C-alpha cells in the first residue's frame, strides 16, 4: 500500500510541472493588413487589374512580395501598416520594370491612423488594430516632376481596420 501511494505521489509531482504548449494557432486573427482594391475610374463599380504593380515602403529598397514576386497583376492587395507610429508611407509604381520609362508611373500615398493594442492570448500576444484618421486618412502625391498621377481617386471604405475580410481602401485609376 505504501509503495502504491509513493508511486502515485511520485507521478503526481512529476507531471504537476507540465503545462499545455503555448502555440499560436495559424487561424487566430492577428494584426490585420490594409486591404486595397483597384477599380476603374470611368466605371467605379468594376474591379480593374493593375499591371506590374510594385509597392515599396518608405525607407525600403525592395517591394512587398505578392504571389512570390515583387510586382503583381491583380485587383486587390494587402499591405501592412506600422504598429509603431501613426503614419505609413508607400510608393505605388504602375508598370514597374517596363523598358519604356514613359509607361512607368509612381505615386506616393501616406496613410494616417491611430493604433490600439488588443490582447489575443498568451500564446499569440497582442494584435494591433488601426483606425484611419477621419479628417485626413491619406496624403497622395506624384513622385515624378510631371505631377501626373496614375491614381485618380482614393476612397476610404472602412476607417476601422480590424480584419482582412473586407476592402478598406478603393483606388481608382
Amino acid at each position: 500500500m505504501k509503495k502504491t501511494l509513493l508511486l502515485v505521489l511520485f507521478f503526481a509531482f512529476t507531471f504537476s510541472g507540465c503545462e499545455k504548449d503555448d502555440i499560436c494557432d495559424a487561424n487566430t486573427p492577428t494584426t490585420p493588413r490594409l486591404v486595397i482594391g483597384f477599380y476603374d475610374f470611368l466605371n467605379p463599380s468594376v474591379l480593374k487589374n493593375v499591371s506590374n504593380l510594385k509597392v515599396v515602403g518608405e525607407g525600403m529598397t525592395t517591394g512587398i512580395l505578392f504571389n512570390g514576386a515583387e510586382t503583381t497583376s491583380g485587383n486587390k492587395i494587402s499591405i501592412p501598416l506600422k504598429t509603431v507610429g501613426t503614419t505609413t508611407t508607400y510608393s505605388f509604381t504602375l508598370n514597374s520594370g517596363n523598358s519604356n520609362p514613359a509607361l512607368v508611373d509612381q505615386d506616393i500615398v501616406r496613410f494616417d491612423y491611430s493604433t490600439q493594442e488588443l490582447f489575443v492570448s498568451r500564446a499569440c500576444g497582442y494584435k494591433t488594430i488601426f483606425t484611419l484618421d477621419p479628417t485626413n486618412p491619406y496624403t497622395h502625391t506624384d513622385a515624378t516632376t510631371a505631377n501626373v498621377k496614375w491614381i485618380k481617386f482614393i476612397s476610404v471604405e472602412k476607417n476601422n481596420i480590424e480584419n482582412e475580410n473586407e476592402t478598406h481602401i478603393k483606388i481608382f485609376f
Side-chain angles (χ1 to χ4, degrees):
M1 181 71 171
K2 287 183 180 182
K3 288 182 184 181
T4 306
L5 182 60
L6 287 175
L7 188 62
V8 169
L9 287 174
F10 172 76
F11 280 114
F13 286 120
T14 301
F15 294 113
S16 67
C18 296
E19 58 185 67
K20 183 180 155 197
D21 284 342
D22 283 340
I23 298 173
C24 185
D25 183 18
N27 296 325
T28 303
T30 56
T31 299
R33 295 173 294 176
L34 179 68
V35 179
I36 300 173
F38 296 94
Y39 289 82
D40 189 344
F41 182 70
L42 299 176
N43 192 355
S45 62
V46 176
L47 279 164
K48 185 176 178 182
N49 286 342
V50 290
S51 298
N52 295 320
L53 175 68
K54 183 176 184 178
V55 181
V56 179
E58 182 179 47
M60 304 299 289
T61 55
T62 58
I64 296 173
L65 293 177
F66 297 101
N67 300 326
E70 244 183 60
T71 60
T72 187
S73 293
N75 55 31
K76 201 174 269 195
I77 62 170
S78 298
I79 57 175
L81 296 174
K82 293 180 183 176
T83 57
V84 177
T86 58
T87 65
T88 302
T89 303
Y90 282 103
S91 70
F92 291 81
T93 306
L94 186 66
N95 296 320
S96 175
N98 194 310
S99 59
N100 183 354
L103 296 177
V104 178
D105 197 355
Q106 183 182 31
D107 285 12
I108 308 293
V109 181
R110 185 188 79 217
F111 297 101
D112 298 312
Y113 51 86
S114 60
T115 61
Q116 179 184 1
E117 287 189 347
L118 296 176
F119 182 73
V120 176
S121 68
R122 192 171 88 183
C124 299
Y126 287 85
K127 76 175 188 175
T128 303
I129 59 171
F130 306 94
T131 303
L132 293 172
D133 185 335
T135 57
N136 190 28
Y138 63 89
T139 303
H140 174 215
T141 56
D142 186 63
T144 63
T145 56
N147 203 23
V148 178
K149 299 174 184 172
W150 72 269
I151 298 174
K152 304 294 184 206
F153 181 70
I154 299 175
S155 169
V156 176
E157 298 299 307
K158 302 282 182 185
N159 276 344
N160 294 328
I161 303 166
E162 298 176 1
N163 60 56
E164 296 179 15
N165 300 335
E166 55 198 5
T167 301
H168 305 113
I169 301 283
K170 287 184 177 180
I171 291 181
F172 298 88
F173 71 102

